[in-house]
């Protein structure tokens, strides 16, 4: 099998594109034509491959879906307008009133907010410390259908017990959803830990340039959908490995309509070609910055899985190619957070992550503000905690910038 980047760069072309294009073109047509009425009916009945309507399928989006399946070593991918649309739609399609979900407590802020909305709608959620499989197991009830985790958590960089939870879910017939956004399929493939479904926010590392929103769910083929009670009769045909992703596409994407636009899919596809190159540079920069900050006397603590004192350093080393490009740190009490942030000149004061540019944000006052002080305290988020999404700049310029910002 060809290498990771070779496969991404050649995937479109090998599928055979009109005019021998090497990029899949941007298809903007919402509707599609057919040879005759019988073909139209066959495509709509799923008896013949083809395109029905732009909300459910688009050739440019489909080319990106195929590329993500290759990157994740999965069976099939469905793309969405954002990462949140991917998570929300999958939950909507697979869960019903009365079901229970066990989720990592160390969670992307909007995912946390989304799960609280599901709780109001009757899908109960328990938040646990997913760095321990015992904590997950202790929260499982007879109504639990699904376990949701992130690979490296935002913003404190806890590394989930990915392998152990995968084994537990396999033994207990639970859907195991792994959000791979923080690592991307270049650093880690959740296929290796028996994930059922993999989530990627394409907005982040896969797209990589902060110029397009997108999300994806990939079916890995490990879960026995044949024994899952919530699959509708209509989707219980053909290979049972595909029933879950089919239902996500039909009851989720088609009915909810959170579709990815072809233009965005094109941006993301082009961005994905350099995922490995960008990640290598970003992770090297992050490791260097983390070590620099850790040695700095005006920094109280640094959270980065590539530092040996990180509680899951060993696990991160075993699971991931590198320790990622997100780090966070607490300033020493003598440093004023607002002054420090205001003095940054190269590093941009902004949210988002996975951009080529280095971005820094004081999380307690922004993306985790709505959560309230109690939940923040339970997640270990101090007021002086700054999250840094490390970019591809020349590392010396990042260090100089931080150095001058300390004043
Ligand atoms: C950003 C992010 C999401 C949501 O993605 P959007 O494309 O912004 O909707 C989900 N999970 C993680 C871990 C993220 O970082």
């Amino acid at each position: 099998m060809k290498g990771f980047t070779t496969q991404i760069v050649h995937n479109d072309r090998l599928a055979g594109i009109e005019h021998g294009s090497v990029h899949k073109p941007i298809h903007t047509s919402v509707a599609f034509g057919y040879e005759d009425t019988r073909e139209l009916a066959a495509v709509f009945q799923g008896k013949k491959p083809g395109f029905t309507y732009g909300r459910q399928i688009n050739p440019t989006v489909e080319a990106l879906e195929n590329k993500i399946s290759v990157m994740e070593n999965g069976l099939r991918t469905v793309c969405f307008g954002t990462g949140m649309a991917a998570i929300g739609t999958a939950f909507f399609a697979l869960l019903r009133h009365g079901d229970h979900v066990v989720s990592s407590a160390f969670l992307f802020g909007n995912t946390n907010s989304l799960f609280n909305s599901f709780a109001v709608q009757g899908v109960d959620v328990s938040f646990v410390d997913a760095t321990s499989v015992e904590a997950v197991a202790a929260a499982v009830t007879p109504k639990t259908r699904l376990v949701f985790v992130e690979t490296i958590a935002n913003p404190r960089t806890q590394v989930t017990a990915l392998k152990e939870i995968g084994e537990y879910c396999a033994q207990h017939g639970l859907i195991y959803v792994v959000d791979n956004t923080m690592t991307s399929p270049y650093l880690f493939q959740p296929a290796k830990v028996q994930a059922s479904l993999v989530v990627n926010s394409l907005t982040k590392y896969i797209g990589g340039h902060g110029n397009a929103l997108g999300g994806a769910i990939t079916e890995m083929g490990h879960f026995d959908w044949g024994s899952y009670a919530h699959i509708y009769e209509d989707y219980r045909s053909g290979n049972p490995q595909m029933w879950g992703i089919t239902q996500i596409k039909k009851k989720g994407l088609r009915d909810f309509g959170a579709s990815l636009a072809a233009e965005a899919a094109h941006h993301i596809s082009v961005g994905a070609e350099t995922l490995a190159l960008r990640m290598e540079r970003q992770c090297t920069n992050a490791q260097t910055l983390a070590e620099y900050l850790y040695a700095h006397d005006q920094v109280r603590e640094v959270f980065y899985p590539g530092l040996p004192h990180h509680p899951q350093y060993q696990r991160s080393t075993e699971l991931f190619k590198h320790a990622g490009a997100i780090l966070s740190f607490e300033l020493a009490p003598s440093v004023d957070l607002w002054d420090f942030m205001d003095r940054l000149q190269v590093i941009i004061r902004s949210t988002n992550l996975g951009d080529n540019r280095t971005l820094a944000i004081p999380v307690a006052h922004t993306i985790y503000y709505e959560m309230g002080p109690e939940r923040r305290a339970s997640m270990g988020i101090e007021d002086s905690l700054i999250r840094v999404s490390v970019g591809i700049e020349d590392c010396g310029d990042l260090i100089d910038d931080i150095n001058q910002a300390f004043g």
Side-chain angles (χ1 to χ4, degrees):
M1 207 206 281
K2 299 274 196 301
F4 186 81
T5 295
T6 310
Q7 289 193 71
I8 297 173
V9 171
H10 290 276
N11 203 66
D12 285 359
R13 180 179 69 84
L14 295 175
I17 307 176
E18 56 268 40
H19 315 300
S21 297
V22 294
H23 277 283
K24 187 73 177 176
I26 301 175
H27 285 264
T28 55
S29 187
V30 170
F32 302 90
Y34 311 90
E35 283 298 317
D36 54 29
T37 320
R38 282 182 209 287
E39 191 193 22
L40 184 152
V43 169
F44 272 75
Q45 290 170 20
K47 291 175 182 154
K48 202 173 169 195
F51 296 89
T52 49
Y53 180 63
R55 186 173 357 92
Q56 302 162 56
I57 192 162
N58 167 286
T60 311
V61 174
E62 190 184 60
L64 175 62
E65 290 175 343
N66 292 339
K67 212 169 282 181
I68 294 164
S69 294
V70 168
M71 290 158 82
E72 285 291 4
N73 206 5
L75 295 184
R76 185 170 171 197
T77 298
V78 178
C79 280
F80 299 85
T82 65
M84 288 316 304
I87 299 169
T89 306
F91 267 50
F92 174 78
L94 296 176
L95 298 169
R96 295 185 190 175
H97 191 275
D99 286 347
H100 176 249
V101 169
V102 177
S103 167
S104 169
F106 313 126
L107 213 52
F108 178 65
N110 291 141
T111 309
N112 178 75
S113 166
L114 174 74
F115 288 0
N116 287 329
S117 301
F118 270 102
V120 174
Q121 305 291 331
V123 174
D124 202 20
V125 183
S126 301
F127 294 105
V128 303
D129 175 356
T131 61
S132 133
V133 65
E134 289 79 18
V136 171
V140 168
T141 75
K143 300 204 156 158
T144 307
R145 303 275 171 263
L146 185 151
V147 175
F148 184 96
V149 299
E150 296 176 4
T151 50
I152 303 178
N154 206 336
R156 278 275 307 263
T157 73
Q158 296 93 338
V159 179
T160 298
L162 291 158
K163 191 159 168 277
E164 296 80 359
I165 297 173
E167 282 160 7
Y168 179 86
C169 288
Q171 278 160 15
H172 293 82
L174 297 169
I175 303 169
Y176 183 31
V177 183
V178 177
D179 183 334
N180 198 26
T181 302
M182 292 281 273
T183 24
S184 91
Y186 178 65
L187 296 185
F188 176 63
Q189 290 180 325
K192 291 183 189 146
V193 295
Q194 307 181 64
S196 318
L197 298 169
V198 176
V199 175
N200 277 291
S201 166
L202 307 175
T203 317
K204 312 292 172 56
Y205 292 103
I206 292 181
H209 296 71
N211 61 355
L213 290 156
I217 303 272
T218 303
E219 167 64 57
M220 306 312 295
H222 296 303
F223 186 72
D224 175 19
W225 296 103
S227 66
Y228 191 61
H230 297 345
I231 300 291
Y232 292 94
E233 207 44 53
D234 283 345
Y235 313 125
R236 290 183 167 273
S237 64
N239 178 2
Q241 283 179 312
M242 306 305 267
W243 293 1
I245 195 79
T246 301
Q247 184 153 306
I248 289 170
K249 180 152 182 148
K250 298 284 173 78
K251 295 310 280 182
L253 180 66
R254 190 190 61 186
D255 292 2
F256 245 48
S259 321
L260 180 64
E263 289 86 350
H266 177 73
H267 277 304
I268 293 162
S269 265
V270 173
E273 295 185 359
T274 53
L275 174 62
L277 287 78
R278 288 183 281 108
M279 277 310 265
E280 283 292 337
R281 171 84 161 215
Q282 284 167 296
C283 293
T284 306
N285 281 355
Q287 182 75 39
T288 309
L289 263 189
E291 287 167 11
Y292 163 80
L293 287 166
Y294 191 57
H296 203 290
D297 58 8
Q298 286 175 291
V299 173
R300 188 161 70 177
E301 184 55 281
V302 181
F303 304 99
Y304 182 65
L307 293 177
H309 80 289
H310 187 284
Q312 290 93 38
Y313 171 75
Q314 202 59 39
R315 181 181 287 162
S316 165
T317 310
E318 278 164 26
L319 289 173
F320 310 140
K321 188 171 272 155
H322 304 294
I326 304 293
L327 60 88
S328 57
F329 64 101
E330 287 166 10
L331 295 167
S334 58
V335 185
D336 183 88
L337 169 79
W338 310 96
D339 289 345
F340 173 84
M341 286 295 301
D342 283 346
R343 282 195 288 259
L344 292 171
Q345 288 170 9
V346 175
I347 298 173
I348 303 169
R349 289 172 288 278
S350 185
T351 187
N352 193 21
L353 45 92
D355 198 304
N356 282 332
R357 297 147 193 82
T358 300
L359 312 172
I361 189 162
V363 292
H365 309 279
T366 55
I367 49 177
Y368 289 89
Y369 183 71
E370 198 182 296
M371 217 173 239
E374 253 171 58
R375 184 76 207 281
R376 278 203 297 275
S378 78
M379 291 178 74
I381 300 173
E382 294 283 330
D383 283 356
S384 78
L385 188 75
I386 297 171
R387 182 189 74 188
V388 184
S389 168
V390 182
I392 62 168
E393 294 94 337
D394 299 277
C395 201
D397 292 330
L398 299 176
I399 289 180
D400 287 351
D401 195 31
I402 291 179
N403 206 23
Q404 64 80 28
F406 278 115

